[in-house]
Amino acid sequence: MSGPPDKFPAGKRTFPRFLAWLIPPAICLSVYWVGLWCWFHTDDFSLLSLVRLPPDEFWASMIEPRAQGTFRPLSERLFFYLFHGWFGFDAFPFRAAAFATHFANLALLALLTRQLSGKLGLGVFAASLWTIHHGLAYPLTWSSAFNQILCSFFMLSGLLMFARFAAGGGRGWYWAQLAAFVGGLGSLETAVVYPALCLALGLVQRQKRALWALPLLSVSALFGWLQIAGSSGLRGSIYALSFHPETILANLAWYAREAIAPAQGAPYLLPCGLALTALAALQLWARNRAVQFGLCWFLVTLAPYLVFEGRQAHYYLAIPAAGLAVFLAGALDWKRSCRQLVAAAALFACAVIGWQSLDLGRAVAANNYRFGLSARNLLTGVAHVRRLHADKTILLTGVAQSVFYSSVYHGIFRLASISDVYLTPDGNTIAQLPGYPPIAAHFATARDTRLMVTEGSAVVYNASQARLREITSQYRATLNVRLGPPGE
Amino acid sequence: MRNAVLLLAVLPALWACPVNAPDLTPIQEEPGAAAAVLLSSVNVADPQAEDQLLDGFHGLENGAWRWTMRRFAVALQPPPPEAAPEPMFLEMRFTVPEIIARRFGGAKIMAKVNGRALAPESFEGQGEFLYSQEVSAAVPGGQPARVEFELENAVPTGEVDQRELGVIVTSIALQ
């Protein structure tokens, strides 16, 4: 039996090596640079509202489950509480914290892959492939998805500490990784699978202390029980859990397909899937540790998302994509497998996944940037209007559906303590989305609109462009055309 | 460790990057309480005509056209009586895109001018079309007209887009 390395490969501190560590963060910035500048949008406003509660109410809510039955105090409530307290509505520090944590994650994944493959180059490659995966597009451009990044950090650092312990390190490593595990659970419920990853890591490295992962299962069991109990009120919602094999297999197929070739990449799905299957079979048979652990990581970290009956999301692939990256980096190790064909298949799969991911990831990043920018412009504009017209109702027209659901719907005006803002009954293209609570309360009625505009107690602004444009006189002159004759 | 410190040192420097600075003055006030000037012909890409798009028009795309919802409406100022053509027509230039043609075979358009219904008109297949109906009786001189369109079919919200999708319109006119 080939023994595992007793400790991390030392590696010389040479300049090229230093540069190698910079490659994944540099690639990350080149793809998701815009993520540093994304303002708040959608669920961010709910979290900001929560952390602006009076302190006694806020701290009491720290461990209450949110709408989808999750806890996540570290990555959501505490993160928003601290950063909002320090920086207010400046989103950059939120984004910078996410990127800094992700850069640490890239280094940790490179270390883990290097430990499994013995090669720094493969570690850097795995981290680079992970960082361009579209599963990270949301976490890197949306502060509410920071939970994926923070959870990855705790899981990766915990795994490396567990590996130290399993390789014969002191008990301190075990307690440290336990603390990281608990931190992971406080960040995202996906961390519940951490003990399985520890066990897998220990087993692929043939470490006797691998079985020390088993006691961690009791922590997972307790957390899982709390989570399932907390989600009992979610029946009928998109977050309802289903352990039916049909649901699990359908979700597995969807996530596997989306991880490889999302949307327009469908023509590449079959050849890429075949290449990956062949790689998995050959490399597992060749006992390639990086491939074994990468595949295990992908499936195990995906498992918690397979039981959602009505919810599939690309950003749930953020953590599993790290396993896919380790798997592919390991498969590139052709000296180990002695098959150039295998390496060629791995390169083909990497190219397809990387190319598809770049397309989708950049589109998601650009969208999130636009959502944030629209929300910021709208809020800035409405706050300015409120200063100009302190005692008037503000009516908005021309609000796009995407802007509405990424800001107004989430109470953006209430968050900034601006009241008496409504959308006009005409001039907006907003449909009631299925599964969302009624949106009628955001609109003024035709009768009220006519009354307020006629008597001058409201101002009307068009919000279809970046700047709000006042159209009160125009609106008043065309009231009958817009709302129909009086009395209708 | 040293690498991580270097990377972290770069991030605060980015804070001052101009990309993060507010880029626009927040609002544009009306120049005065001037009476509304409505056009008799609306190009959906024309910023001056934007306020005449009353309902059901999505955002401008490629600087030239807009998707509509199933129902959409526009305000048009009829030409002055002395310059009004006889007969007067309501004309809409629009495109039935492939997705609509494939699902519904084309588009059937019903319209009302100031509440008075016009004859429905059907358009087969995909492509660019001109909707044209006589409206002389429905348009009193001088008063702005509310023109409402309704499509027989549209792609519902959430099926291919988060928006309800009807047809693609470039211009609507009374002439």
Side-chain angles (χ1 to χ4, degrees):
Chain A
M1 188 169 76
S2 62
D6 287 340
K7 55 185 178 182
F8 290 86
K12 290 179 185 171
R13 287 178 178 274
T14 57
F15 190 63
R17 275 179 187 274
F18 168 75
L19 287 182
W21 287 103
L22 292 181
I23 290 172
I27 291 175
C28 173
L29 282 175
S30 73
V31 178
Y32 292 116
W33 167 260
V34 75
L36 276 169
W37 316 108
C38 287
W39 206 65
F40 306 106
H41 59 89
T42 48
D43 290 356
D44 293 344
F45 297 121
S46 308
L47 282 166
L48 286 168
S49 297
L50 189 70
V51 302
R52 285 164 66 87
L53 288 172
D56 52 333
E57 281 184 53
F58 169 73
W59 289 109
S61 74
M62 267 296 271
I63 52 166
E64 280 177 9
R66 288 192 71 205
Q68 62 272 45
T70 55
F71 299 99
R72 307 174 190 170
L74 295 182
S75 60
E76 291 185 346
R77 277 165 252 207
L78 202 58
F79 174 55
F80 272 74
Y81 181 78
L82 293 177
F83 277 66
H84 178 63
W86 291 332
F87 306 107
F89 288 108
D90 188 349
F92 180 81
F94 288 74
R95 306 306 319 133
F99 271 74
T101 312
H102 181 60
F103 291 168
N105 287 345
L106 294 176
L108 292 170
L109 187 74
L111 278 173
L112 185 65
T113 311
R114 186 180 75 169
Q115 188 183 353
L116 288 163
S117 66
K119 291 177 180 167
L120 173 62
L122 293 181
V124 170
F125 183 84
S128 303
L129 193 59
W130 183 35
T131 201
I132 62 170
H133 195 274
H134 65 83
L136 283 160
Y138 273 100
L140 287 172
T141 57
W142 185 29
S143 296
S144 286
F146 177 60
N147 49 48
Q148 299 279 346
I149 292 177
L150 193 62
C151 181
S152 302
F153 173 76
F154 282 121
M155 285 171 65
L156 284 165
S157 52
L159 277 170
L160 284 167
M161 290 189 280
F162 183 82
R164 286 261 182 168
F165 169 75
R171 292 276 172 92
W173 291 111
Y174 189 80
W175 295 116
Q177 64 83 34
L178 180 61
F181 175 32
V182 173
L185 290 173
S187 307
L188 185 67
E189 50 281 1
T190 306
V192 77
V193 301
Y194 171 80
L197 293 177
C198 288
L199 188 63
L201 185 63
L203 289 177
V204 300
Q205 299 195 103
R206 313 278 201 277
Q207 289 167 323
K208 286 179 184 170
R209 284 180 168 182
L211 295 181
W212 278 74
L214 294 177
L216 302 174
L217 287 171
S218 59
V219 181
S220 287
L222 177 64
F223 186 85
W225 175 76
L226 283 172
Q227 184 71 39
I228 290 171
S231 65
S232 57
L234 298 174
R235 285 191 189 93
S237 85
I238 56 171
Y239 295 103
L241 304 182
S242 164
F243 295 92
H244 197 280
E246 200 174 307
T247 305
I248 291 171
L249 287 175
N251 281 335
L252 179 61
W254 189 85
Y255 282 111
R257 188 186 73 220
E258 295 300 306
I260 298 167
Q264 69 276 24
Y268 305 97
L269 183 64
L270 185 63
C272 193
L274 287 173
L276 285 169
T277 309
L279 279 174
L282 286 168
Q283 298 281 32
L284 289 175
W285 181 70
R287 293 184 179 174
N288 180 326
R289 293 185 309 191
V291 167
Q292 287 173 333
F293 184 71
L295 187 60
C296 185
W297 172 289
F298 178 76
L299 294 172
V300 166
T301 55
L302 199 52
Y305 302 109
L306 302 182
V307 294
F308 286 136
E309 204 166 359
R311 173 85 172 144
Q312 293 168 330
H314 281 119
Y315 70 91
Y316 289 164
L317 283 167
I319 299 176
L324 189 61
V326 174
F327 171 89
L328 285 166
L332 280 174
D333 192 1
W334 50 80
K335 276 187 185 167
R336 190 181 295 277
S337 63
C338 301
R339 287 177 177 82
Q340 288 188 350
L341 193 63
V342 170
L347 274 176
F348 169 70
C350 290
V352 169
I353 293 170
W355 172 47
Q356 295 297 316
S357 279
L358 281 176
D359 259 8
L360 181 59
R362 281 195 166 132
V364 168
N367 256 344
N368 283 342
Y369 178 74
R370 276 197 292 271
F371 285 157
L373 190 63
S374 305
R376 190 178 66 173
N377 284 339
L378 185 62
L379 184 61
T380 311
V382 168
H384 194 80
V385 173
R386 174 52 74 226
R387 281 195 292 276
L388 287 177
H389 306 284
D391 55 347
K392 292 190 177 180
T393 298
I394 300 170
L395 296 174
L396 298 173
T397 184
V399 177
Q401 178 163 295
S402 59
V403 176
F404 175 81
Y405 279 104
S406 62
S407 57
V408 179
Y409 175 81
H410 292 273
I412 187 175
F413 303 128
R414 192 175 58 243
L415 183 67
S417 306
I418 303 171
S419 57
D420 233 8
V421 184
Y422 298 96
L423 276 62
T424 58
D426 68 302
N428 299 295
T429 51
I430 300 159
Q432 171 72 54
L433 292 184
Y436 282 64
I439 58 173
H442 295 282
F443 293 82
T445 63
R447 186 172 166 276
D448 290 347
T449 302
R450 181 186 300 281
L451 189 68
M452 289 187 289
V453 172
T454 308
E455 69 181 16
S457 63
V459 284
V460 189
Y461 282 80
N462 183 305
S464 63
Q465 305 291 326
R467 279 195 297 180
L468 293 187
R469 185 165 49 84
E470 192 189 2
I471 57 164
T472 309
S473 308
Q474 283 258 2
Y475 196 89
R476 188 181 297 123
T478 53
L479 259 181
N480 290 347
V481 178
R482 291 173 181 277
L483 305 177
E488 275 196 4
Chain B
M1 186 63 191
R2 195 173 52 180
N3 303 348
V5 170
L6 274 172
L7 281 174
L8 288 175
V10 172
L11 285 172
L14 298 173
W15 201 339
C17 178
V19 180
N20 199 36
D23 49 350
L24 293 164
T25 47
I27 63 170
Q28 181 185 341
E29 291 293 301
E30 267 184 327
V37 178
L38 296 184
L39 306 172
S40 60
S41 175
V42 166
N43 179 329
V44 298
D46 180 2
Q48 276 195 314
E50 193 184 345
D51 295 326
Q52 291 181 237
L53 307 178
L54 302 180
D55 269 317
F57 286 89
H58 293 300
L60 184 64
E61 296 187 39
N62 293 339
W65 44 267
R66 293 175 190 266
W67 273 100
T68 69
M69 300 174 81
R70 194 170 76 83
R71 291 195 175 102
F72 52 102
V74 64
L76 294 174
Q77 178 70 50
E82 62 275 13
E86 189 59 42
M88 191 184 299
F89 285 89
L90 169 66
E91 292 191 348
M92 175 171 73
R93 294 186 185 281
F94 69 103
T95 299
V96 176
E98 188 197 351
I99 186 170
I100 300 294
R102 197 162 8 100
R103 282 196 178 204
F104 309 119
K108 183 176 179 184
I109 299 178
M110 292 145 284
K112 285 182 188 171
V113 178
N114 289 330
R116 185 179 291 198
L118 307 179
E121 197 171 346
S122 295
F123 300 87
E124 299 290 323
Q126 70 178 91
E128 292 179 23
F129 296 99
L130 174 68
Y131 168 93
S132 182
Q133 288 285 323
E134 189 187 336
V135 293
S136 306
V139 183
Q143 293 301 309
R146 179 182 174 88
V147 181
E148 297 165 273
F149 292 94
E150 184 175 348
L151 304 171
E152 188 177 48
N153 296 298
V155 180
T157 298
E159 283 200 9
V160 295
D161 194 289
Q162 284 300 302
R163 304 171 299 176
E164 184 180 82
L165 301 177
V167 292
I168 292 172
V169 172
T170 49
S171 68
I172 305 174
L174 281 176
Q175 52 195 23

